[in-house]
Amino acid sequence: MNSNHTDDLAELHAEVAAVARELLADSAPRWATIARAGWPGLEVSAAFDGADAGFAEVAVILTEIGRAAASGPYPAVAALGVGALNHVVPTPDRDRLLRETAAGAVVPIVALAGEGMGEKRFRIENSPRGPLLRGAAEFVLDVPDAGRLLVPAVDPAGEVVLVDLDPRARGLLVTERPVLDATRSFGDIVAEDVSPESLWHFEDGYRCDAVGRLRDRAAVAVACDSLGLSRAMLDATVAHVAVREQFGRAIGSFQAVKHACADMLVQVTVAGKLVDAAVRAVTASGADASTSASMAKSYACATAVDIAGKAMQLHGGMGYTWESGIHVYLKRAALNRSLFGSPAQHRARLARRYSVQAPRRRGA
């Protein structure tokens, strides 16, 4: 990639971020507004009425959603729904759902559990009635808003396939799971002998580790969200300490406050670099995409909790009030930290990736 192209992309992303920030500024936008903005179809091919952009542009929107602590199913649709549909073998049913998703006419939610990093919770079994889906998943992001449910499941041949279902299908139970972060919605899914409406195979490049790749996209999406909310907390804190006075001076002039804000800036900058690298790796489906995703997820999400905590502290007594709004970011950051793998789980994966086996002594 030459420098001119890189500059062009940076300029484009800055414009996309500015537009998204404006749309998200006033209040939580309705799904119809999101659809009119064209966000659900950003990563969808123009052949299906999408914008023919990529995950890098989706990541810009996800970061701004984190900055605004906005609610709604866009992160689940963009990171997982479109990601899954783009990588299954095309069929007329898949194409129709992809086109409807790009138009915002339907909200497809992938049934991935929000906790942990392993995932083979659903299976398809043959029966006299035909193939039947069985299994369960907890803490599925935005499943209460699902218009269609996409369930990764292991078929009788041992291959992971994608099952398309109506969330109200017979034998399928979706229950809402309340969480402390009021900006998010979660639910639990139980499938007992559910007949799949459609069953799609992943394309060759995705087939061997489809669930792992989807979880990497989910981890990077959450890292983007955490990066956005960290930037929001840094901006709000710097603005506050610049005007809040104590002993006749702005508290931002005190050395301890300066150092705290400088530490926050360093953390945000490092998180931004790691998230950018992870977005590029996931976009390119490189061999080390999982490594980059774990680096970004573990650092950005742990950092966001730290920064939101510092923001609350540096706002003084008002930081603890309901009116300050900082509690919204702190609760969202804490939930992000545990979604799709905790920092400890991702660091354990990194440790395995970089572990060096001690050489055996000859004859031992």
Side-chain angles (χ1 to χ4, degrees):
M1 184 180 294
N2 60 46
S3 58
N4 288 337
H5 186 55
T6 302
D7 292 342
D8 290 344
L9 276 180
E11 188 175 338
L12 171 65
H13 290 172
E15 290 178 7
V16 172
V19 171
R21 207 171 301 170
E22 185 177 350
L23 191 149
L24 295 164
D26 295 332
S27 59
R30 303 177 65 176
W31 182 253
T33 305
I34 298 289
R36 279 199 299 274
W39 293 357
L42 267 181
E43 205 180 355
V44 176
S45 164
F48 302 110
D49 305 327
D52 226 359
F55 187 61
E57 286 69 42
V58 171
V60 174
I61 302 295
L62 294 172
T63 304
E64 292 307 318
I65 285 177
R67 182 192 289 271
S71 56
Y74 179 76
V77 171
L80 292 172
V82 173
L85 290 172
N86 273 339
H87 291 287
V88 294
V89 177
T91 68
D93 287 341
R94 193 293 308 244
D95 294 351
R96 185 182 66 252
L97 182 54
L98 196 53
R99 185 173 281 107
E100 291 174 347
T101 301
V106 67
V107 174
I109 298 295
V110 177
L112 279 186
E115 290 185 318
M117 297 178 67
E119 192 76 39
K120 284 186 180 175
R121 301 177 184 232
F122 293 92
R123 65 188 186 280
I124 294 174
E125 297 178 0
N126 291 324
S127 78
R129 293 167 47 195
L132 296 176
L133 178 72
R134 297 188 177 104
E138 297 179 337
F139 286 104
V140 179
L141 180 62
D142 289 323
V143 74
D145 297 321
R148 300 296 299 179
L149 199 58
L150 304 175
V151 184
V154 180
D155 72 4
E159 180 183 348
V160 176
V161 296
L162 194 65
V163 177
D164 173 38
L165 291 172
D166 186 325
R168 297 161 297 183
R170 185 176 181 182
L172 192 64
L173 179 62
V174 178
T175 54
E176 190 164 356
R177 172 76 75 118
V179 291
L180 195 58
D181 174 14
T183 65
R184 301 283 183 76
S185 69
F186 288 84
D188 299 339
I189 302 171
V190 176
E192 290 287 348
D193 297 341
V194 181
S195 298
E197 292 183 34
S198 300
L199 192 153
W200 300 319
H201 293 271
F202 286 95
E203 61 189 16
D204 287 344
Y206 238 69
R207 187 170 298 173
C208 60
D209 188 24
V211 174
R213 287 171 181 258
L214 288 173
R215 294 196 73 86
D216 285 342
R217 283 178 62 100
V220 176
V222 176
C224 290
D225 192 275
S226 290
L227 174 62
L229 73 86
S230 293
R231 287 173 173 167
M233 288 293 91
L234 174 60
D235 292 347
T237 302
V238 171
H240 174 74
V241 301
V243 297
R244 175 69 172 171
E245 292 188 355
Q246 195 171 48
F247 309 120
R249 295 168 53 190
I251 61 174
S253 64
F254 298 141
Q255 190 176 46
V257 176
K258 285 181 182 176
H259 285 184
C261 290
D263 287 343
M264 294 166 72
L265 176 61
V266 170
Q267 290 176 298
V268 168
T269 303
V270 173
K273 297 293 183 185
L274 290 172
V275 169
D276 285 346
V279 169
R280 287 196 301 272
V282 168
T283 301
S285 298
D288 263 359
S290 293
T291 300
S292 297
S294 284
M295 287 181 174
K297 174 69 173 66
S298 57
Y299 186 86
C301 292
T303 291
V305 177
D306 190 30
I307 287 177
K310 284 180 182 173
M312 182 169 284
Q313 184 181 24
L314 291 175
H315 274 74
M318 68 172 287
Y320 293 84
T321 64
W322 194 261
E323 290 76 13
S324 76
I326 296 176
H327 66 96
V328 174
Y329 286 87
L330 184 58
K331 286 183 279 191
R332 186 167 176 125
L335 181 56
N336 279 356
R337 184 174 54 182
S338 62
L339 271 181
F340 301 112
S342 67
Q345 289 173 312
H346 280 282
R347 286 169 185 150
R349 181 160 77 160
L350 292 171
R352 290 193 295 273
R353 164 67 177 80
Y354 289 107
S355 65
V356 178
Q357 294 183 346
R360 291 184 178 181
R361 288 183 297 178
R362 187 169 296 178

